[in-house]
Structure formats: C-alpha cells, structure tokens
Amino acid sequence: MLLVETYIDFSPGKGLGLFAKTDLNKGIKYWIRNEVFDKLLSQRQIQSLEKIAQDYFTKYGFLEVSGNWYLCGDNARFSNHSESPNTKNYFNKVGLLQYC
C-alpha cells in the first residue's frame, strides 16, 4: 500500500511508470505491506481464476519466495521493476517484502 501520493505517466522508452506527486527524501518509506488493502493469492487460487484474471495478476503482481502472488491494490503495481531500481526493498526474515 502506497504511503505517498502518486500518479501514473509515460516514461520515455519504458512505458507506464509510477511517479510521486512531490519530491521524496532519501530513505523515506513510500510503500508498506498491507494484506488487508492489497491481495495475496496462492498459486492454486491463481489457477482457479479465469485466464484474463490470471494474466492481470501475473502482469501486475509479483511472485513471493513463499510461492504466493502479491497484487497491490493501488498504483504501486506500476513500481519500478528495473534491474537497477532507484528504490530499496526491505524484506522480513522469511523473505517477504515488508516495505520500500
């Protein structure tokens, strides 16, 4: 769940991207894991969905080390998925993303 106001816009050469409405200071927490707001599904649950829903979940969600799919319920689904991101992720002891 995003903790800052954002908007979606085109990023030259990259397609749609997530942008903060204001400048963010280095180290600011901008996203937090919130399984009440976001959606978490097992691989079995994903497979029970219609194909169009499966495709959406796997395009905009991310596969966790647990084998579950996590789908953000807000613009966070457009977060930077670069191999050289400009944000840092923080994981818990079992490898689940907790905050960015």
Side-chain angles (χ1 to χ4, degrees), residues 10-17 80 82:
F10 284 99
S11 181
K14 298 179 182 179
L16 290 177
N80 192 336
S82 170

Side-chain angles (χ1 to χ4, degrees), residues 26-39:
K26 184 176 181 177
I28 189 171
K29 190 184 294 187
Y30 74 91
W31 180 91
I32 191 164
R33 183 183 192 90
N34 184 329
E35 294 177 19
V36 174
F37 183 80
D38 298 326
K39 187 76 174 164

Side-chain angles (χ1 to χ4, degrees), residues 6 28 54:
T6 62
I28 189 171
Q54 290 178 29

Side-chain angles (χ1 to χ4, degrees), residues 21-87:
K21 286 190 176 180
T22 60
D23 289 339
L24 302 179
N25 293 327
K26 184 176 181 177
I28 189 171
K29 190 184 294 187
Y30 74 91
W31 180 91
I32 191 164
R33 183 183 192 90
N34 184 329
E35 294 177 19
V36 174
F37 183 80
D38 298 326
K39 187 76 174 164
L40 188 68
L41 292 182
S42 68
Q43 190 64 38
R44 186 175 184 195
Q45 289 171 307
I46 292 283
Q47 292 170 346
S48 73
L49 297 172
E50 297 294 330
K51 173 95 169 81
I52 194 166
Q54 290 178 29
D55 292 346
Y56 184 88
F57 222 98
T58 57
K59 179 177 182 176
Y60 292 108
F62 58 91
L63 184 61
E64 296 191 308
V65 295
S66 65
N68 292 325
W69 283 89
Y70 194 104
L71 178 67
C72 296
D74 55 16
N75 286 345
R77 68 185 179 277
F78 294 101
S79 290
N80 192 336
H81 294 97
S82 170
E83 294 204 12
S84 55
N86 59 3
T87 59

